[in-house]
Amino acid sequence: MLSRRDLLAIFARLAITAGGAGMILSDPIRQKFLFGGNSGLAFGESYLDELIHSAPKARYWKPLTFKDSGCPKEETIIRCFLCANGCAIVNGQRGRCRTRMNVNGELRSLVYGRPISIHIDPIEKKPFYNYLPGAAAFSLATAGCPLSCKFCQNWEISQSSPEDHQVPFTPPARIVAAAHTNKSPVIAFTYNEPTVFTEYLTDIAREAKKHGIRSVLISCGFMNEAPLAEMCQTLDAIKIDLKGYSENFYRTVCGANLQPVLKSIKQAAKSRVHLEIVNLVVPTLNDSDKMINGLIDWVMGEVGPDVPVHFSRFHPDYQMLNLPPTPVTTLERAYNMAMSKGMHYPYVGNVPDHPGNNTYCPNCKKAVIKRQGFFVTEINIKDGSCKFCKRKIAGVWT
Ligand code: SF4
């Protein structure tokens, strides 16, 4: 388990600055700290040229015929099938996520091997509450995201382009070695939408597995079925944001759609991975009884009461500085509604030390995991069951 002392020691070793999305790796001294003396930096006149030149072929795309594309002139057009945006990309252009480029009729990933942010977090910060409590998660992100949520807390990363951050090429084995050196049993793909670096993250996860390190994904769930199937085979746990139970909310606030996300949650729930859901409750936009009830009913009906759901507090950020932080009473209302409908593991998120951060046994109602902030202070689970009444507690504990 990662104690407060361990975490402070790691912070000191990595000289990490405070910040929600970890440190930006553009600083060569920090790169050297993490990855050794040979950073592989070899920037030519144009970093973008270097990125394009070294970018490997992406997966999940196919060339469009002219009939499909509707393009009147001769062009090499590609359809990307990685996420539900399904971008049609003309030669020399990129998709909406800014990370996948049509280079002479081949789709390339500009973010493979280019992590721009690395941090070691408690796994509770992801948040995972029913998965390896107290584990240190070696967390990384690249640039880019297929969505454009107006409240994004990591917008400096998610809404940036790969060429905005000059970082060295970092092969998967080096990420795994760094996680191992820093005693992290878990690697987390997080901060931006990791789907955009699916080729990189699945290669890291395969390499990590060989070394007994697990891999987890923190995602908006907007990917298509085939890439998610590959991730479910490769990864160990997935957290999906269900941002609001409304198509209109997804369309107007996130620039996306609800249905692909619901589909991904159902697919992940049926797979072998551990699944948790987060609902960021934004005042006036998705905090009505109707929307919260709709979300709870859908989760209960489609994936069942054992999937943990975190009702998390919004803080003003990015393009939503006009709204106040979510009142704690709103989160408590959502939590109580979930409990009254029979959900086993609802949580109040982003409110340090609130009792809704604890995990309670659905049978005897005693606290089986107590938390202070992101730190676990007490575990009363033995062999996957409540120490008090022996009821099985859903999750992964070892
Ligand atoms: S992953 Fe990027 S390029 Fe591919 S469909 Fe989604 S937004 Fe478009």
Side-chain angles (χ1 to χ4, degrees):
M1 186 196 302
L2 188 71
S3 68
R4 191 184 295 260
R5 190 183 209 176
D6 293 337
L7 200 73
L8 288 173
I10 289 166
F11 279 8
R13 193 161 67 246
L14 294 177
I16 287 171
T17 51
M23 63 178 175
I24 306 289
L25 272 184
S26 306
D27 178 344
I29 296 169
R30 288 189 179 140
Q31 289 160 5
K32 196 170 171 183
F33 237 112
L34 266 177
F35 302 120
N38 181 13
S39 70
L41 273 168
F43 302 127
E45 281 189 4
S46 160
Y47 178 59
L48 180 58
D49 286 346
E50 183 186 319
L51 275 183
I52 295 169
H53 185 248
S54 63
K57 188 175 168 183
R59 293 200 286 273
Y60 305 112
W61 60 275
K62 67 175 187 186
L64 279 178
T65 64
F66 294 116
K67 194 164 147 267
D68 292 338
S69 69
C71 182
K73 60 180 183 151
E74 215 163 290
E75 273 286 9
T76 313
I77 298 178
I78 281 171
R79 172 84 69 196
C80 176
F81 293 106
L82 180 54
C83 88
N85 281 330
C87 300
I89 310 170
V90 176
N91 189 20
Q93 299 297 312
R94 304 183 215 181
R96 194 178 147 192
C97 60
R98 300 173 296 280
T99 66
R100 295 164 84 78
M101 186 180 212
N102 179 343
V103 181
N104 298 325
E106 182 175 276
L107 193 66
R108 304 254 189 100
S109 168
L110 301 183
V111 286
Y112 189 102
R114 305 286 178 173
I116 61 164
S117 180
I118 290 188
H119 205 262
I120 296 173
D121 297 325
I123 201 155
E124 283 72 18
K125 196 177 171 189
K126 302 295 118 194
F128 282 107
Y129 274 15
N130 288 43
Y131 188 80
L132 300 180
F138 189 92
S139 307
L140 67 131
T142 68
C145 181
L147 272 58
S148 48
C149 303
K150 292 179 178 170
F151 50 72
C152 184
Q153 313 238 315
N154 292 330
W155 62 272
E156 284 150 310
I157 288 177
S158 69
Q159 301 305 310
S160 68
S161 299
E163 66 272 28
D164 294 338
H165 315 266
Q166 292 207 358
V167 292
F169 181 79
T170 306
R174 200 173 288 179
I175 294 291
V176 175
H180 188 261
T181 304
N182 287 287
K183 298 188 172 41
S184 300
V186 174
I187 296 176
F189 309 109
T190 180
Y191 306 139
N192 71 326
E193 171 47 48
T195 297
V196 303
F197 61 96
T198 191
E199 295 87 359
Y200 188 42
L201 77 84
T202 48
D203 283 358
I204 293 171
R206 288 186 184 103
E207 182 66 22
K209 201 163 279 188
K210 291 183 206 160
H211 298 266
I213 296 175
R214 289 182 241 197
S215 300
V216 303
L217 178 79
I218 289 79
S219 175
C220 64
F222 203 60
M223 67 288 270
N224 282 329
E225 189 177 341
L228 180 56
E230 184 189 5
M231 290 186 218
C232 289
Q233 279 165 14
T234 320
L235 301 169
D236 298 287
I238 298 183
K239 185 224 82 179
I240 294 181
D241 285 324
L242 181 46
K243 294 170 190 278
Y245 193 68
S246 149
E247 274 295 353
N248 186 51
F249 178 85
Y250 263 88
R251 212 170 27 251
T252 56
V253 181
C254 307
N257 308 99
L258 170 64
Q259 285 309 318
V261 180
L262 298 180
K263 214 169 128 197
S264 293
I265 291 173
K266 286 205 277 187
Q267 186 181 344
K270 282 190 197 136
S271 76
R272 50 171 278 288
V273 298
H274 172 76
L275 171 69
E276 302 201 13
I277 295 171
V278 167
N279 175 224
L280 185 78
V281 183
V282 186
T284 71
L285 297 182
N286 65 357
D287 62 345
S288 66
D289 276 1
K290 187 175 172 225
M291 276 177 78
I292 293 172
N293 261 321
L295 185 146
I296 295 168
D297 289 343
W298 184 86
V299 169
M300 292 291 286
E302 298 292 343
V303 297
D306 278 343
V307 175
V309 176
H310 304 251
F311 296 100
S312 289
R313 190 177 205 193
F314 156 89
H315 291 282
D317 213 327
Y318 192 35
Q319 296 173 345
M320 288 224 158
L321 298 171
N322 56 323
L323 293 176
T326 319
V328 175
T329 49
T330 303
L331 302 169
E332 289 171 339
R333 176 165 52 89
Y335 177 93
N336 290 331
M337 284 158 70
M339 275 289 190
S340 70
K341 285 174 180 273
M343 196 175 274
H344 290 159
Y345 308 103
Y347 294 104
V348 169
N350 286 347
V351 185
D353 301 342
H354 190 283
N357 278 291
N358 296 335
T359 305
Y360 297 95
C361 171
N363 181 46
C364 70
K365 313 293 182 203
K366 290 188 177 147
V368 286
I369 304 177
K370 288 189 182 170
R371 299 180 178 86
Q372 267 183 357
F374 292 127
F375 295 94
V376 174
T377 55
E378 196 176 315
I379 298 184
N380 295 308
I381 295 176
K382 195 164 175 252
D383 301 329
S385 299
C386 170
K387 218 162 80 178
F388 307 107
C389 73
K390 312 286 183 252
R391 187 203 192 273
K392 189 174 172 342
I393 306 296
V396 176
W397 309 111
T398 55

